Amino acid sequence: MPQTLKKQALTLTIANGFTRGLGFLFRLMTARLMGAEAIGVMELSASAAMLALTPATAGLPTAMSRVTARPNADQHAVLRAGLSLNRRIALVMMPLLLLLAPGMAWLLSDFRTLPAILISIPAVFLLGCCAVYSGWFYGRGDMLTPAQCECSEQVVRFVGSLVLLLIFTRSPLSVRAALPGFAGILAGICVWMMFRRRAPLPPGVPSADLRRELLALSAPTAVSRLCQTCLRMLTAVLLPLCLRQSGLTASAATAQFGLLNGMAMPLIMAPGIITSAMCMVAAPAVSRQESNRVRLKRTMRQLLLLAGLIGCLSSCVLFLFAQPISMLLYGEPALTGVLMALSPLSMLFAIQQVQFGLVTGLGVQRRTMPGTIVSSVLTLVVMSALCPMPSVRIFGALLAMLAGSLVRVIWNAAVLQSAKRAA
């Protein structure tokens, strides 16, 4: 990578290392304080809330960074337009989430998720604002400010969640599952105020043209991410149902879901500490290098190779040390087999994350949407076919996730190869 990209990626990697490390410690603490079933309820509610959060957060950071990074861009005008767009999205999604929350809880077959879903409503506006500010700072080449804000958010969320869980330790399971979400709202308010202090806006009217451009740039990514969010929501509905069909009780099925999403997935996504930083610096960097074909291809090749090496190392560690990791961190023997089977997904996720940054920087997000849809359908079909089998159960979900991710990585690779030839 060029030296400037290395410095930017290093700044974000250090911040990601801190936030992911604290987030992982948060997972460990909440798993011990809440138990697998409460973790399962929290993850179920999160899958529903993400449907409302995705339009506000998915495409805006990279769209903001791409537009802000342009030569001679009116950066304050871009920020005003991004914040205006986020307000409009929030005015639609927040009331919609409020109206649909009971139906989502019914669809999840667990009304204990309702408090956590309702708690997440203010997060649509708050996280959307943070996404706009982060993308704006990335486009300006300022990685330090978003990194500091992200670290502050994680600290407030971590401390707030632990304090609330310790105070309400005897509360009903539905209340305990909602407490981390409430702490997240408090953290979102703190970060929003920090961003506003770092980037005060002069008076002015948001540009309708810039707002439309940001919407056009963010929409393909948002739709693609919405497909993945819908997949997560459908998985949250389908997986516990299939596990119950295999002979498990409702409580045991929810606990298995918590084991997969609340315990295994944070470990599988550990390379994101580095690859998410690479993703964020890749989008504006590739956008700037579109006119230099040789330099563009070299940067893309280096980023993808590094992502593959990082993911491969993570997969090997998880496979070889699955048992001590499961026992020392969670005290869950059942997690060992899940980690071993799911370990290749760590490499696929690492590659996919960097591919996303490159795709966004080249502005070819629309071409990846069919791949996202195909992979999502494949995941659901394999899961619904295998998970009801008593001899397979949760491992059917693991195979489904691996198959879907592999298809997505291959599709994205084909899109990037085509874009490189056309550059």
Side-chain angles (χ1 to χ4, degrees):
M1 285 189 290
Q3 190 65 25
T4 53
L5 289 189
K6 289 180 180 178
K7 290 181 179 179
Q8 292 174 352
L10 180 60
T11 300
L12 287 180
T13 298
I14 293 171
N16 283 339
F18 177 80
T19 55
R20 293 293 181 95
L22 199 57
F24 185 65
L25 183 59
F26 167 76
R27 289 279 184 176
L28 289 177
M29 297 298 292
T30 52
R32 293 181 179 275
L33 290 171
M34 297 170 66
E37 189 175 359
I39 289 286
V41 172
M42 184 178 72
E43 291 294 334
L44 285 171
S45 61
S47 66
M50 279 303 297
L51 287 173
L53 291 169
T54 298
T57 59
L60 276 177
T62 48
M64 287 292 297
S65 67
R66 180 178 171 86
V67 176
T68 306
R70 288 174 180 168
N72 304 319
D74 185 344
Q75 296 180 346
H76 285 104
V78 174
L79 181 57
R80 272 194 296 268
L83 292 173
S84 173
L85 178 58
N86 175 65
R87 285 194 297 271
R88 293 180 176 223
I89 293 172
L91 284 173
V92 174
M93 300 310 302
M94 290 172 68
L96 193 61
L97 181 58
L98 178 62
L99 290 173
L100 296 180
M104 288 178 170
W106 174 80
L107 191 62
L108 292 169
S109 303
D110 198 333
F111 276 93
R112 295 175 297 178
T113 60
L114 186 57
I117 295 174
L118 293 174
I119 283 290
S120 68
I121 291 175
V124 177
F125 172 75
L126 292 170
L127 295 185
C129 281
C130 295
V132 169
Y133 277 112
S134 294
W136 187 72
F137 279 107
Y138 290 143
R140 288 161 58 93
D142 181 357
M143 305 295 156
L144 187 59
T145 297
Q148 290 174 338
C149 291
E150 186 178 354
C151 292
S152 301
E153 185 271 338
Q154 191 72 309
V155 169
V156 175
R157 181 172 178 265
F158 176 76
V159 174
S161 297
L162 292 186
V163 169
L164 289 171
L165 286 170
L166 290 171
I167 292 174
F168 296 97
T169 186
R170 296 185 181 276
S171 298
L173 187 144
S174 59
V175 174
R176 283 184 282 128
L179 292 177
F182 182 74
I185 297 298
L186 298 178
I189 293 172
C190 292
V191 173
W192 176 47
M193 294 174 66
M194 288 176 64
F195 272 127
R196 290 190 65 180
R197 288 191 63 184
R198 299 288 181 89
L201 272 177
V205 179
S207 166
D209 290 337
L210 276 175
R211 189 167 54 224
R212 282 192 292 269
E213 184 180 6
L214 289 171
L215 179 61
L217 285 171
S218 63
T221 301
V223 171
S224 179
R225 189 72 62 83
L226 196 59
C227 290
Q228 297 178 43
T229 305
C230 288
L231 172 64
R232 183 179 175 184
M233 172 72 174
L234 290 172
T235 300
V237 174
L238 186 63
L239 182 54
L241 179 63
C242 290
L243 291 174
R244 289 199 295 271
Q245 289 178 352
S246 73
L248 293 178
T249 63
S251 178
T254 302
Q256 287 279 292
F257 184 80
L259 186 78
L260 174 61
N261 271 33
M263 297 182 184
M265 290 309 296
L267 293 168
I268 295 298
M269 299 179 73
I273 293 173
I274 302 174
T275 54
S276 62
M278 293 167 59
C279 170
M280 290 311 303
V281 301
V286 168
S287 180
R288 294 189 190 101
Q289 294 175 7
E290 279 187 282
S291 58
N292 189 331
R293 185 175 180 180
V294 175
R295 189 176 176 187
L296 173 65
K297 290 183 176 181
R298 184 173 65 248
T299 299
M300 291 174 64
R301 185 170 58 251
Q302 289 174 341
L303 287 169
L304 288 171
L305 179 60
L306 184 56
L309 291 173
I310 292 168
C312 183
L313 178 62
S314 174
S315 296
C316 292
V317 170
L318 289 174
F319 183 83
L320 295 173
F321 300 99
Q323 185 175 15
I325 289 173
S326 302
M327 295 306 298
L328 291 174
L329 296 182
Y330 291 106
E332 283 282 352
L335 187 60
T336 301
V338 173
L339 278 181
M340 292 180 71
L342 207 55
S343 58
L345 191 62
S346 192
M347 182 174 67
L348 295 176
F349 275 172
I351 296 171
Q352 186 181 319
Q353 203 160 29
V354 173
Q355 284 178 331
F356 171 74
L358 298 175
V359 163
T360 304
L362 292 170
V364 292
Q365 300 98 309
R366 291 179 186 272
R367 301 185 201 174
T368 64
M369 287 172 59
T372 301
I373 295 171
V374 169
S375 64
S376 300
V377 171
L378 176 64
T379 301
L380 291 173
V381 169
V382 174
M383 186 182 300
S384 60
L386 297 180
C387 288
M389 299 180 183
S391 59
V392 181
R393 287 180 176 165
I394 193 69
F395 291 97
L398 310 186
L399 290 172
M401 294 169 70
L402 286 168
S405 259
L406 182 60
V407 168
R408 195 174 297 131
V409 166
I410 293 172
W411 191 286
N412 290 345
V415 169
L416 287 172
Q417 186 63 29
S418 174
K420 279 198 296 184
R421 289 173 181 168

